[in-house]
Amino acid sequence: MDKSKVIFGNEMPVSVIKKGLKNQKKFIRKFGDDRNTEYHLKTESIQALENLGVKNLVIDENSSVPFSFTEKSKEEKPLIVGNIRMGFGHYRISIALASAARSMGYTPYWFDLHSFQGATAGKIIKSQNELYSLGSRLSQKSKLFNRLVWEPMNSEGFRQLSYNSADQKVAELFTPVYNDLPKDIPFVGAHVYPVQGAVHAGLTHVVNAIPDNWPMALHLAEGSLHTVQTESSYLGYKALRGMNKDKILKPMPEKALKCTGHYIDHELVENIENDCQLRMDRRTKGDAVRYLLTIGGAGAQKEIYGDIIRYLMPQIKANKAMLMLNTGDHKNVWEGLLKDIPELKDAVTHFDDFSDAKNFADSLLTPAGDANAPKGIHVFYNKDIFAAVYVTNLLMRGSDVLVTKPSELAFYPVPKLFIRRVGGHEAWGAIHSAEIGDGTYECETKNSVREMLDQFQNNPEILNRMCMNIMKNKAAGIYDGAYEVIRLATKC
């Protein structure tokens, strides 16, 4: 059955089907149709993810022989982690899944559609990522664009079944790069595109790890097992809530949807109690409050982070606050901040040196009251995308407060201060975090952010309560989602 015509028993109108076919033809005209091309794969190492045992699958342009997983099955227990770059979030979730897989005895193979630049799939994903990044940046600079275009698109446009129908036609073009994957290999996807591609390619053990807490048809891939991180998201997807404005839809079947909990790295989950106790000990000892500010993949947070840095500067100089800023792979963001805030010239920079960043992260894990603990402002940048993303994960353990938009980071087990969202779908991440007590509500204005910074600086109870809630949440299994995704993929 054509997956663009019927979605979980809900028939699409002829106009929607025609629109999807027209969209597919548009991409073919622009990027070509390589469905008759024979691609083969090989592996390369990813330095930043070596400790997770990740093997990166790339196209082998010089090979006419399929990459073989058969010989590796018993020894390595291979598992595919499908992903794309669309911001940083989908890579970060992929890292969490790879980490969990490694801890459970599997070898994670990184399968990134965005990286296959010679194939139609890679060209399409690259163009979509560029549009997403542009929209994210514009939404932060123009209130009118955000209100009239970006918020409605991210909260309602991507929500409709008609959008999923069109995406299914596009995903048919992704299948050639899956040729070397055994049909029954466990495949977990952190974005719907690689999942849809896997289903169209005939893979049978496919799990679709849905990232957002706001149900959107964008994330559907019928033929896969869908997982969500929260009960509210489960109910919304079950009923296909709001995915057709004009009629009641047939729900998702029971076996197509599971609630797993949050997708979190094994290294973070196993150290929750220790890391939270260190945070509370630092409050008791009067240590500087450690803030981790992380720029997303679109580089859209420069202005609000500039205001936060200026506001905290007196506290930093008095050694009552300490700041870590990960600019990701956006060096222009750092250069802009340095121009706007001359005092940043005294910051310690950790640029393009992953080993240095890892050593610094380790230095944060000393007992409270350590006179040699890092102070001041530390800035991180890596042109390598994997290091750019993973440095934030490394710094989380030794930070006290993660300052972030309510994206995929809303689900991580570290106290969080939420700044304004980038897209309406992100709002529900902050709502969920505030409800389970491991983060603030969304602070949409500069004054509301400053108000919350004052709370963290002057009221130890706020941070301590979040730490206690994080430990309670761990005991309840809330942060075990990545492990559960791997279990489902290897059993379904």
Side-chain angles (χ1 to χ4, degrees), residues 104-144:
M104 298 166 70
Y106 296 92
T107 298
Y109 280 80
W110 195 267
F111 186 84
D112 177 12
L113 285 184
H114 184 275
S115 71
F116 301 149
Q117 289 297 296
T120 298
K123 296 172 185 177
I124 292 174
I125 302 302
K126 183 176 184 291
S127 70
Q128 297 300 95
N129 177 59
E130 289 171 350
L131 284 174
Y132 173 81
S133 296
L134 176 61
S136 294
R137 293 192 299 273
L138 287 176
S139 73
Q140 298 299 286
K141 295 179 179 179
S142 170
K143 291 183 179 180
L144 187 64

Side-chain angles (χ1 to χ4, degrees), residues 282-335:
R282 287 194 287 270
R283 300 287 58 74
T284 300
K285 295 281 189 179
D287 289 3
V289 182
R290 299 171 175 180
Y291 296 93
L292 171 57
L293 281 61
T294 178
I295 300 291
Q301 293 87 31
K302 174 179 172 290
E303 285 75 17
I304 185 62
Y305 281 172
D307 187 76
I308 290 172
I309 293 168
R310 292 186 192 94
Y311 192 71
L312 283 176
M313 193 63 74
Q315 301 284 342
I316 294 170
K317 290 179 178 179
N319 198 30
K320 294 182 179 179
M322 180 260 198
L323 185 69
M324 295 168 280
L325 173 65
N326 182 16
T327 65
D329 60 353
H330 299 285
K331 197 170 186 179
N332 61 305
V333 171
W334 164 244
E335 291 168 347

Side-chain angles (χ1 to χ4, degrees), residues 36-286:
N36 292 322
T37 301
E38 187 175 291
Y39 292 109
H40 296 302
L41 304 173
K42 65 178 180 179
T43 59
E44 291 181 350
S45 63
I46 301 176
Q47 180 191 5
L49 304 183
E50 283 181 350
N51 67 308
L52 304 181
V54 170
K55 297 189 176 183
N56 189 29
L57 288 167
V58 298
I59 291 176
D60 187 347
E61 297 179 354
N62 300 315
S63 176
S64 60
V65 180
F67 183 85
S68 176
F69 289 89
T70 305
E71 297 175 0
K72 307 172 186 299
S73 294
K74 290 183 179 180
E75 180 182 351
E76 289 190 347
K77 297 170 64 178
L79 177 142
I80 308 298
V81 181
N83 53 76
I84 67 170
R85 174 168 184 165
M86 194 68 72
F88 281 175
H90 302 286
Y91 276 178
R92 196 179 316 279
I93 293 171
S94 296
I95 289 171
L97 297 173
S99 171
R102 178 67 167 177
S103 75
M104 298 166 70
Y106 296 92
T107 298
Y109 280 80
W110 195 267
F111 186 84
D112 177 12
L113 285 184
H114 184 275
S115 71
F116 301 149
Q117 289 297 296
T120 298
K123 296 172 185 177
I124 292 174
I125 302 302
K126 183 176 184 291
S127 70
Q128 297 300 95
N129 177 59
E130 289 171 350
L131 284 174
Y132 173 81
S133 296
L134 176 61
S136 294
R137 293 192 299 273
L138 287 176
S139 73
Q140 298 299 286
K141 295 179 179 179
S142 170
K143 291 183 179 180
L144 187 64
F145 175 82
N146 187 59
R147 179 168 60 86
L148 297 181
V149 179
W150 199 244
E151 282 270 336
M153 181 185 298
N154 278 278
S155 58
E156 294 300 331
F158 294 153
R159 192 181 183 188
Q160 303 305 306
L161 275 184
S162 57
Y163 192 91
N164 183 261
S165 176
D167 265 1
Q168 291 285 3
K169 296 305 294 183
V170 176
E172 291 176 2
L173 303 176
F174 300 160
T175 56
V177 294
Y178 292 78
N179 286 340
D180 282 359
L181 304 185
K183 301 302 183 187
D184 61 350
I185 196 167
F187 186 105
V188 297
H191 188 280
V192 72
Y193 280 169
V195 173
Q196 289 173 345
V199 172
H200 283 292
L203 273 65
T204 57
H205 291 61
V206 183
V207 175
N208 178 16
I210 294 174
D212 294 317
N213 205 31
W214 175 246
M216 294 190 289
L218 162 71
H219 294 304
L220 298 177
E222 188 171 5
S224 69
L225 173 60
H226 300 69
T227 64
V228 293
Q229 301 184 81
T230 72
E231 291 294 340
S232 63
S233 185
Y234 177 88
L235 187 58
Y237 274 101
K238 179 69 176 178
L240 300 179
R241 179 190 177 197
M243 295 186 189
N244 188 313
K245 298 178 181 178
D246 301 321
K247 67 178 183 179
I248 297 174
L249 296 171
K250 295 179 181 179
M252 290 182 70
E254 180 181 354
K255 293 184 179 180
L257 180 65
K258 299 288 183 183
C259 180
T260 60
H262 302 186
Y263 315 133
I264 307 297
D265 312 44
H266 168 70
E267 294 75 20
L268 293 171
V269 176
E270 72 168 349
N271 287 295
I272 281 177
E273 291 87 355
N274 180 69
D275 295 343
C276 282
Q277 187 60 55
L278 284 175
R279 292 182 185 112
M280 292 187 289
D281 289 346
R282 287 194 287 270
R283 300 287 58 74
T284 300
K285 295 281 189 179

Side-chain angles (χ1 to χ4, degrees), residues 260-261 469-480:
T260 60
N469 288 331
I470 288 169
M471 290 189 283
K472 291 177 183 177
N473 294 339
K474 180 186 177 181
I478 286 177
Y479 304 120
D480 288 346

Side-chain angles (χ1 to χ4, degrees), residues 278 282-283 286-291 315-325 346-350 356-380 394-395 397-400:
L278 284 175
R282 287 194 287 270
R283 300 287 58 74
D287 289 3
V289 182
R290 299 171 175 180
Y291 296 93
Q315 301 284 342
I316 294 170
K317 290 179 178 179
N319 198 30
K320 294 182 179 179
M322 180 260 198
L323 185 69
M324 295 168 280
L325 173 65
D346 296 324
V348 180
T349 56
H350 307 261
D356 171 58
K358 188 176 185 303
N359 290 336
F360 177 85
D362 290 340
S363 75
L364 296 170
L365 302 177
T366 55
D370 183 357
N372 295 317
K375 299 178 178 62
I377 300 175
H378 294 259
V379 185
F380 301 82
L394 295 177
L395 295 173
R397 289 192 56 201
S399 67
D400 293 323

